[in-house]
């Protein structure tokens, strides 16, 4: 399967977007080669702003440009965007509902060798907790491009979570992405596997293994973490009676928490969460880290067995 | 409303704005008089002499923008906007009350004439840089004005923004530093001195003017000079008195964030009659 990092897809999508929408501007904080906003800079140098290593100012300037009619895409690593500049996002972007798209790359453990200081594992939690914020976690290059266009068309702030490592292309051009809509990729009745980002592919593989073992698993791509698609989640809970979530993020505050919130209020069923178990990461190859921190096909498969066992009746 | 060119009329307007500030704060029972009063002449000059704004069309794309970096001085902004005709003087009495548009710190989504929501010190500076950058990109001739506190400039983000404004040669951005010498915990010099501020902003690539921030003539002249400076943003360091115009509030750190009681308000209004 062809592999492309979602940050690469982001860079290419920005160029296409820039051609269609003259009001799009792109800002970066000395990481344009890594975040791939460099692609946009090459084609539209007059619409690209490098603020230097100054993330608070990055988000603040983006807010000011948005207040003056621009659609501002601001990029840096996810750790710095949502950590260093959290309060700028809160007060200058979310509270004001300005048209800033925070496209943060290098999210999750698959940053790899740079280690824990650079691996964002709470970004989904903090962005999801902000009123007015839309949170999107694309699973592959195709979905990334569609999400970039959807984010630009959406009026208001968006957090777009992108990765460093190449990931398989799962979807073709016919794939439909809509903000707020989870997509059932595979039907099943015994258990539902809900995933986002790079874990969608792992969930698909786990479903195949489970099928060989006689278990029918539904796979749902919850690429919009907020607003979350309650309908699709409740339906899965009612029809399968057991859910597993999988995310490249701390199990506190991310997809697992969001799904738990929906089901406890609407259709309580057992849930198992696959994710980083409330610990920081470390240096290593992406695959080694996913293995060590329990984010593999095997972990999802085991969680499925565990949750099915917990079903009543 | 017509722009005011006559100094005497500006002085009358400033006195009215000060009365509004005292009245609204007394009614609210909380809020920030000191830093509101120190900036009255600056806002009066901006809104009644300098800036191109249209109260009937607050989102007019060609308008000049004003960002109140020191958002806690919301009363001076609201009092000025009301006098300019963005909303009624009566509405000032809803300050800080439930369901009011006049939040404790300015909210651009609620209040006509407020160009940026502020309150978290340092953030307004970056927003003003973004507005000035967008103006340059779109080849528009609107100007962006910013008001900073002298305590506010202790924030790291201020210096990130100052660097960026000079780097991008934003001569359409003019900032005022309300150099009143006080912050919450006492004299700025004692808490954490940012001095020498003139040298610092010069070193950051700004054109710097130093004025008496209560002199209309000096504010006007500095604004005129700012418009002639090409390739650089201008910082106008305005020497001011915190609490200006109310004898018992002047130069008192305690009046940073305390509203006058009824009798105190009455005395203040008498002084401002
Ligand atoms: C980021 C941030 N930190 C702290 C505060 C609380 N605060 C409000 S006003 C103030 C002092 C401001 O002093 P200065 O900038 O000198 O304002 P002025 O004297 O003009 O009122 C502080 C610390 C805040 N609003 N924002
Ligand atoms: Mg001060």
């Amino acid at each position: 399967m062809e592999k492309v990092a979602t940050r690469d897809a982001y860079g290419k999508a920005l160029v296409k977007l820039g051609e269609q929408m003259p009001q799009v501007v792109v800002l970066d904080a000395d990481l344009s080669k890594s975040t791939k906003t460099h692609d946009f800079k090459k084609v539209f140098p007059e619409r690209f702003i490098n603020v230097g290593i100054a993330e608070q100012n990055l988000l603040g300037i983006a807010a000011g440009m948005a207040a003056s009619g621009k659609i501002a895409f601001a990029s840096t690593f996810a750790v710095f965007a949502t950590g260093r500049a959290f309060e700028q996002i809160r007060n200058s972007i979310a509270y004001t509902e300005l048209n800033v798209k925070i496209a943060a790359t290098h999210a999750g453990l698959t940053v790899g060798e740079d280690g824990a200081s650079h691996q964002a594992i709470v970004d989904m939690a903090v962005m999801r907790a902000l009123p007015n914020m839309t949170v999107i976690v694309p699973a592959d290059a195709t979905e990334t491009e569609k999400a970039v266009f959807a984010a630009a068309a959406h009026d208001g702030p968006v957090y777009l979570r992108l990765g460093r490592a190449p990931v398989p292309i799962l979807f073709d051009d016919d794939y439909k992405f809509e903000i707020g809509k989870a997509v059932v990729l595979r039907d099943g009745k015994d258990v539902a596997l809900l995933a986002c980002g790079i874990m969608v592919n792992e969930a698909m593989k786990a479903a195949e293994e489970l099928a060989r073992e006689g278990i029918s698993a539904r796979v749902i791509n919850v690429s919009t973490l907020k607003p979350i698609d309650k309908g699709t989640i409740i339906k899965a809970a009612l029809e399968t009676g057991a859910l597993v979530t999988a995310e490249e993020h701390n199990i506190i505050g991310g997809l697992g928490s969001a799904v738990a919130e929906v089901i406890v209020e609407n259709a309580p069923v057992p849930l198992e969460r696959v994710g980083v178990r409330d610990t920081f990461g470390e240096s290593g190859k992406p695959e080694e880290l996913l293995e060590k921190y329990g984010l593999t096909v095997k972990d999802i498969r085991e969680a499925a067995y565990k949750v099915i066992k917990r079903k009543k009746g | 409303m017509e722009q005011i060119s006559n100094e005497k009329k500006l002085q009358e307007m400033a006195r009215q704005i000060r009365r509004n500030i005292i009245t609204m704060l007394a009614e609210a029972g909380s809020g920030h008089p000191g830093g509101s009063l120190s900036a009255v002449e600056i806002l009066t000059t901006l809104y009644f002499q300098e800036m191109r704004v249209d109260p009937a069309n607050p989102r007019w794309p060609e308008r000049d923008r004003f960002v109140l970096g020191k958002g806690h001085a919301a009363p001076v902004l609201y009092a000025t906007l009301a006098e300019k005709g963005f909303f009624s003087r009566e509405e000032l009495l809803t300050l800080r009350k439930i369901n009011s548009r006049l939040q404790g710190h300015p909210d651009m989504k609620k209040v006509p004439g407020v160009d940026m929501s502020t309150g978290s010190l340092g953030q307004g500076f970056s927003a003003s840089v973004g507005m000035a950058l967008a103006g340059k990109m779109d080849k528009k001739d609107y100007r962006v004005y910013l008001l900073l506190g002298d305590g506010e400039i202790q924030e790291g983000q201020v210096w990130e923004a100052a660097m960026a404004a000079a780097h991008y040669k934003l001569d359409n951005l003019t900032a005022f530093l309300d150099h009143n010498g006080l912050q919450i915990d006492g004299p700025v010099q004692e808490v954490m001195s940012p001095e020498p501020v003139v040298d610092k902003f010069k070193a950051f690539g700004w054109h710097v003017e130093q004025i008496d921030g209560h002199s209309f003539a000096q504010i006007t002249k500095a604004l005129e000079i700012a418009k002639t400076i090409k390739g650089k943003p201008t910082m106008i360091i305005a020497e001011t008195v915190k609490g200006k115009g109310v004898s018992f509030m002047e130069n008192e750190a305690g009046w940073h964030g305390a509203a006058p009681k009824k009798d105190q308000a009455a005395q203040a209004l008498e002084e401002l009659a």
Side-chain angles (χ1 to χ4, degrees):
Chain A
M1 228 189 292
E2 192 195 347
K3 284 186 166 188
V4 175
T6 52
R7 61 173 167 147
D8 284 306
Y10 167 59
K12 295 211 167 65
L14 273 184
V15 175
K16 285 193 201 170
L17 184 71
E19 281 157 4
Q20 293 179 18
M21 300 180 90
Q23 68 273 46
V24 166
V25 296
V26 176
L27 300 94
D28 204 299
D30 199 36
L31 288 170
S32 63
K33 294 202 180 79
S34 302
T35 63
K36 303 298 172 188
T37 58
H38 187 61
D39 295 352
F40 183 92
K41 177 188 174 175
K42 276 189 287 190
V43 186
F44 303 107
E46 71 294 342
R47 281 151 66 192
F48 177 83
I49 302 291
N50 197 333
V51 301
I53 311 160
E55 295 76 17
Q56 303 172 47
N57 201 33
L58 172 78
L59 278 308
I61 292 182
M65 296 189 85
S68 310
K70 301 294 180 193
I71 298 175
F73 278 76
S75 289
T76 177
F77 291 172
V79 165
F80 309 134
T82 66
R84 174 72 63 101
F86 174 75
E87 202 238 320
Q88 281 72 21
I89 295 176
R90 182 198 187 277
N91 279 322
S92 287
I93 296 173
Y95 178 46
T96 54
E97 255 187 298
L98 285 168
N99 237 334
V100 177
K101 320 301 168 182
I102 305 149
T105 67
H106 295 61
L109 295 180
T110 48
V111 162
E113 292 82 350
D114 272 353
S117 64
H118 283 54
Q119 295 161 349
I121 54 162
V122 302
D123 55 318
M124 283 159 52
V126 295
M127 288 298 104
R128 187 169 81 84
L130 284 175
N132 300 336
M133 187 61 75
T134 291
V135 181
I136 305 175
V137 189
D140 79 341
T142 308
E143 190 167 46
T144 299
E145 180 179 323
K146 290 176 189 280
V148 167
F149 276 79
H154 173 82
D155 193 21
V158 175
Y159 179 65
L160 197 58
R161 185 185 211 235
L162 304 166
R164 169 179 180 263
V167 290
I169 294 185
L170 305 177
F171 310 124
D172 57 27
D173 285 342
D174 296 337
Y175 177 81
K176 280 218 165 34
F177 172 83
E178 202 183 312
I179 291 176
K181 203 94 206 87
V183 179
V184 177
L185 300 178
R186 177 186 177 119
D187 207 3
K189 58 179 180 22
D190 299 328
V191 63
L193 313 178
L194 300 102
C196 63
I198 62 161
M199 298 308 286
V200 172
N201 187 43
E202 309 307 297
M204 286 295 280
K205 287 196 244 167
E208 277 161 33
E209 285 191 14
L210 289 164
R212 283 197 289 277
E213 294 158 5
I215 290 169
S216 158
R218 182 176 302 185
V219 179
I220 303 174
N221 176 17
V222 191
S223 47
T224 308
L225 190 64
K226 186 186 178 181
I228 199 153
D229 184 351
K230 289 187 187 170
T232 302
I233 294 169
I234 294 168
K235 190 161 182 276
L238 294 175
E239 292 176 1
T240 69
L243 306 185
V244 172
T245 55
E247 61 196 307
E248 190 194 5
H249 186 272
N250 198 355
I251 51 164
I252 296 175
L255 176 66
S257 298
V259 169
E261 288 158 15
V262 173
I263 60 170
V264 291
E265 285 182 350
N266 298 283
V269 296
L271 166 73
E272 289 291 328
R273 292 172 297 159
V274 172
V276 180
R277 305 206 73 83
D278 199 19
T279 175
F280 287 105
E282 63 184 286
S283 292
K285 293 201 181 75
E287 320 79 72
E288 292 168 343
L289 292 164
L290 294 175
E291 171 86 35
K292 178 163 177 180
Y293 289 86
L295 298 175
T296 63
V297 174
K298 175 170 146 277
D299 297 293
I300 298 174
R301 179 179 161 278
E302 280 168 9
Y305 275 106
K306 200 166 158 195
V307 81
I308 288 169
K309 218 184 231 172
R310 289 173 55 204
K311 275 207 236 185
K312 291 208 186 77
Chain B
M1 167 168 297
E2 294 280 298
Q3 299 292 78
I4 303 179
S5 54
N6 162 327
E7 168 140 5
K8 198 139 184 225
K9 287 205 175 135
L10 283 172
Q11 264 158 9
E12 274 166 33
M13 181 56 76
R15 195 162 327 123
Q16 178 59 43
I17 288 170
R18 283 201 165 87
R19 280 198 296 268
N20 291 350
I21 291 169
I22 295 300
T23 310
M24 66 200 290
L25 283 168
E27 173 66 26
S30 69
H32 299 83
S36 295
L37 292 168
S38 63
V40 170
E41 281 76 16
I42 294 169
L43 269 85
T44 304
T45 312
L46 282 174
Y47 279 93
F48 290 94
Q49 193 179 75
E50 188 66 25
M51 286 171 54
R52 195 171 57 182
V53 293
D54 179 4
N57 185 8
R59 293 267 159 242
W60 179 38
E62 310 302 320
R63 75 191 184 282
D64 291 335
R65 274 90 170 147
F66 174 72
V67 177
L68 183 66
K70 37 174 272 185
H72 58 279
V76 68
L77 179 57
Y78 298 155
T80 308
L81 291 176
E83 291 302 324
K84 186 75 187 173
F86 282 92
F87 47 86
S88 73
R89 209 186 268 172
E90 291 73 65
E91 187 169 350
L92 293 176
L93 300 177
T94 68
L95 173 70
R96 290 178 167 251
K97 293 189 175 162
I98 194 78
N99 299 326
S100 170
R101 297 194 291 183
L102 305 184
Q103 298 293 295
H105 295 81
D107 182 340
M108 65 185 288
K109 287 201 304 183
K110 292 198 163 80
V111 189
V114 170
D115 292 316
M116 184 65 199
S117 304
T118 50
S120 176
L121 296 169
Q123 295 197 24
F125 203 154
S126 297
S128 71
V129 170
M131 291 173 184
L133 264 172
K136 287 264 175 204
M137 240 179 221
D138 293 342
K139 304 204 164 38
K140 297 211 169 183
D141 69 350
Y142 67 73
R143 298 186 63 79
V144 182
Y145 296 95
L146 166 71
L147 177 63
L148 295 166
D150 52 359
E152 176 177 16
I153 64 170
Q154 291 156 353
E155 283 286 353
Q157 184 177 2
V158 161
W159 301 98
E160 296 182 2
M163 206 185 315
H167 181 84
Y168 285 104
K169 304 186 167 50
L170 301 180
D171 49 21
N172 53 347
L173 174 65
T174 302
F176 284 89
L177 179 67
D178 189 344
H179 206 222
N180 60 28
L182 293 175
Q183 57 189 108
I184 295 182
D185 282 348
V188 174
Q189 281 290 33
E190 283 172 26
V191 176
M192 176 53 64
S193 173
E195 301 299 335
V197 288
V198 173
D199 293 347
K200 279 207 176 76
F201 282 105
K202 277 190 182 156
F204 270 71
W206 286 59
H207 174 77
V208 179
E209 290 288 322
Q210 272 178 290
I211 61 163
D212 170 351
H214 300 302
S215 156
F216 287 110
Q218 292 191 33
I219 297 169
T220 304
K221 187 165 165 228
L223 286 168
E224 286 310 315
I225 293 171
K227 280 185 278 190
T228 66
I229 302 294
K230 297 293 167 218
K232 279 181 178 197
T234 293
M235 178 64 63
I236 302 172
I237 310 238
E239 299 304 330
T240 57
V241 172
K242 199 157 175 168
K244 174 80 177 176
V246 178
S247 58
F248 56 92
M249 290 184 175
E250 289 192 358
N251 291 315
E252 287 291 337
W255 284 105
H256 169 84
K261 305 253 179 316
K262 266 214 169 86
D263 55 324
Q264 294 169 317
Q267 188 191 330
L269 289 173
E270 207 163 293
E271 292 181 19
L272 295 167

